[in-house]
């Protein structure tokens, strides 16, 4: 016996099937139409380092203006560990629906060559939203040190006097910058890795490590208190916070440029219209005078610009530092 369906019932059944299918697709993490974004739920900014550091600060500085501009809650979640790769992996595997983004640091460009079996592909699994900004690192020495200038450090290294410096860890940008400088300049020095900026600065101001290399954010308070003497900065131009401190480039190594940097990323399949809208909103936030001032307080020079600008910059950083890691046989802590 064959049962016949009324045409109206067929239409209702088909509509119900489409609704069920749409729900299943949404549950599997495939975004629905981007037209209702960002009304459905709060936006997460995953800061890929623990609370208190510069990545956390950047995320929190941006969260408030983004929330006001988008009319939606923007919450910061800290997912630290493995030089930022744990939090970044979480975002790379998140639903590409415009509700989860990563706030990353310069280690993002180092991790692909430093961490074996990284659980994501930096270029394939993530799309840059914006390059927030860059900052110099500062090579400094304690107040009672024999090193009065960067030239003194170079002379000691060339004389093979066992020049020792500390960084925030093996594979950190400070470590890689010094390795690059040493290799290109024929300089020899000994690296002492620390577990972050706090321990490094504690030993640096006490004179337990002759030289330190760290961001303006972690170093400047100790320069201001006269416990550390700055010798050089690693960016191609001098920094406004330390205008009297020469660059490595102008100190005999032209072209040397090793900036710290911060960026926001999204899962790779995030709809292009959401990527574009978030880029516009982030640039708007970065142009906010209060936001710019607060970032400057962290030693960050705002960059902004298009997603393509961010991608080009990050790709170049990945290429530069992967070569340094290979050339120097650098391993993670």
């Amino acid at each position: 016996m064959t049962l016949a369906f009324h045409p109206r019932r067929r239409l209702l059944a088909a509509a119900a099937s489409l609704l069920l299918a749409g729900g299943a697709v949404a549950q599997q993490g495939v975004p629905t139409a981007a037209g209702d974004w960002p009304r459905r739920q709060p936006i997460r900014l995953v800061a890929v380092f623990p609370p208190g550091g510069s990545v956390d600060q950047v995320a929190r500085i941006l969260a408030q203006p983004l929330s006001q501009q988008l009319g939606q809650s923007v919450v910061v979640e800290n997912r630290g560990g493995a030089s930022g790769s744990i939090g970044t992996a979480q975002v790379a595997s998140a639903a590409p629906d415009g509700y989860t983004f990563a706030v990353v640091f310069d280690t993002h460009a180092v991790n692909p060559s430093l961490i074996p079996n990284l659980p994501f592909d930096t270029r394939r699994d993530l799309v840059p939203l914006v390059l927030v900004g860059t900052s110099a690192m500062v090579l400094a020495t304690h107040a009672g040190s024999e090193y009065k200038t960067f030239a003194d450090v170079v002379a000691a290294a060339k004389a093979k006097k066992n020049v020792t410096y500390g960084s925030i860890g093996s594979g950190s940008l400070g470590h890689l910058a010094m390795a690059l400088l040493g290799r290109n300049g024929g300089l020899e020095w000994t690296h002492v890795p620390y577990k972050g900026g706090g321990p490094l600065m504690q030993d640096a101001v006490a004179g337990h490590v002759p030289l330190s290399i760290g961001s303006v954010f972690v170093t400047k308070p100790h320069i201001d208190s006269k416990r550390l003497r700055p010798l050089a900065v690693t960016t191609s131009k001098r920094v406004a916070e330390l205008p009297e401190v020469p660059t490595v480039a102008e100190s005999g190594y032209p072209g040397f440029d090793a900036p710290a940097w911060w960026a926001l990323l999204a899962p790779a399949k995030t709809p292009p219209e959401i990527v574009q809208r978030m880029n516009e909103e982030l640039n708007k936030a970065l142009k906010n005078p209060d936001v710019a001032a607060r970032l400057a307080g962290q030693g960050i020079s705002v960059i902004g610009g298009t997603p393509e600008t961010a991608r080009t910059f990050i790709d170049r950083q990945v290429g530069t530092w992967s070569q340094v890691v290979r050339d120097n046989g650098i391993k993670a802590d």
Side-chain angles (χ1 to χ4, degrees):
M1 179 178 177
T2 302
L3 294 175
F5 280 91
H6 189 278
R8 186 169 181 272
R9 289 178 180 174
R10 289 197 195 99
L11 289 172
L12 289 172
S17 296
L18 286 172
L19 286 171
L20 288 171
V25 168
Q27 289 176 3
Q28 291 169 15
V30 178
T32 56
D36 65 347
W37 184 87
R39 295 191 297 272
R40 283 189 287 131
Q41 64 193 61
I43 293 169
R44 293 190 303 147
L45 298 184
V46 178
V48 303
F49 279 82
S54 63
V55 174
D56 176 65
Q57 292 298 311
V58 167
R60 295 183 190 281
I61 288 170
L62 290 174
Q64 184 177 1
L66 284 175
S67 178
Q68 293 172 343
Q69 292 167 203
L70 293 168
Q72 178 60 276
S73 297
V74 178
V75 297
V76 176
E77 294 184 10
N78 296 91
R79 291 288 184 271
S83 296
S85 63
I86 291 176
T88 308
Q90 182 187 62
V91 173
S93 63
D97 55 8
Y99 291 96
T100 305
F101 303 104
V103 184
V104 301
F105 190 41
D106 50 48
T107 55
H108 180 73
V110 179
N111 290 339
S113 56
L114 192 68
I115 299 176
N117 303 315
L118 197 67
F120 59 89
D121 184 290
T122 299
R123 291 187 174 96
R124 186 185 65 235
D125 298 332
L126 294 153
V127 57
L129 294 173
V130 76
L131 176 62
V132 174
T134 61
S135 175
M137 290 179 290
V138 186
L139 183 68
T141 189
H142 62 93
S145 168
E146 63 182 298
Y147 303 127
K148 306 305 179 186
T149 65
F150 180 66
D152 292 339
V153 176
V154 171
K158 287 185 174 179
K160 303 186 186 304
K161 290 186 176 180
N162 191 28
V163 177
T164 301
Y165 74 94
S167 79
I168 65 171
S170 291
S172 67
L173 195 69
H175 178 200
L176 298 184
M178 292 296 282
L180 177 63
L181 182 59
R183 190 175 185 87
N184 291 349
L187 307 173
E188 292 188 11
W189 31 54
T190 301
H191 177 228
V192 179
Y194 285 81
K195 297 292 185 181
L200 170 62
M201 289 297 105
Q202 186 175 4
D203 268 14
V205 299
H208 297 322
V209 62
L211 294 164
S212 63
I213 185 164
S215 67
V216 171
F217 175 71
V218 301
T219 309
K220 191 172 184 295
H222 308 292
I223 295 172
D224 292 342
S225 68
K226 307 298 184 184
R227 292 182 292 176
L228 288 180
R229 180 188 305 121
L231 302 174
V233 295
T234 62
T235 42
S236 59
K237 297 180 180 179
R238 295 193 184 198
V239 298
E241 295 83 4
L242 300 167
E244 302 303 317
V245 181
T247 67
V248 170
E250 68 185 271
S251 303
Y253 300 90
F256 188 87
D257 187 28
W261 55 270
W262 296 259
L264 271 80
L265 314 175
K269 294 183 180 179
T270 301
E273 55 267 42
I274 293 180
V275 170
Q276 183 60 36
R277 173 79 185 281
M278 267 300 281
N279 171 264
E280 292 170 357
E281 298 296 344
L282 284 163
N283 275 293
K284 182 178 178 180
L286 292 171
K287 291 175 183 175
N288 181 310
D290 179 61
V291 170
R294 293 176 67 189
L295 290 171
Q298 306 292 322
I300 298 172
S301 298
V302 171
I303 302 296
T306 66
E308 190 55 38
T309 296
R311 179 180 293 282
T312 299
F313 178 89
I314 293 171
D315 285 350
R316 188 165 57 244
Q317 291 289 303
V318 170
T320 295
W321 300 118
S322 63
Q323 186 68 43
V324 174
V325 168
R326 289 194 299 269
D327 288 347
N328 293 275
I330 294 171
K331 305 295 182 185
D333 289 328

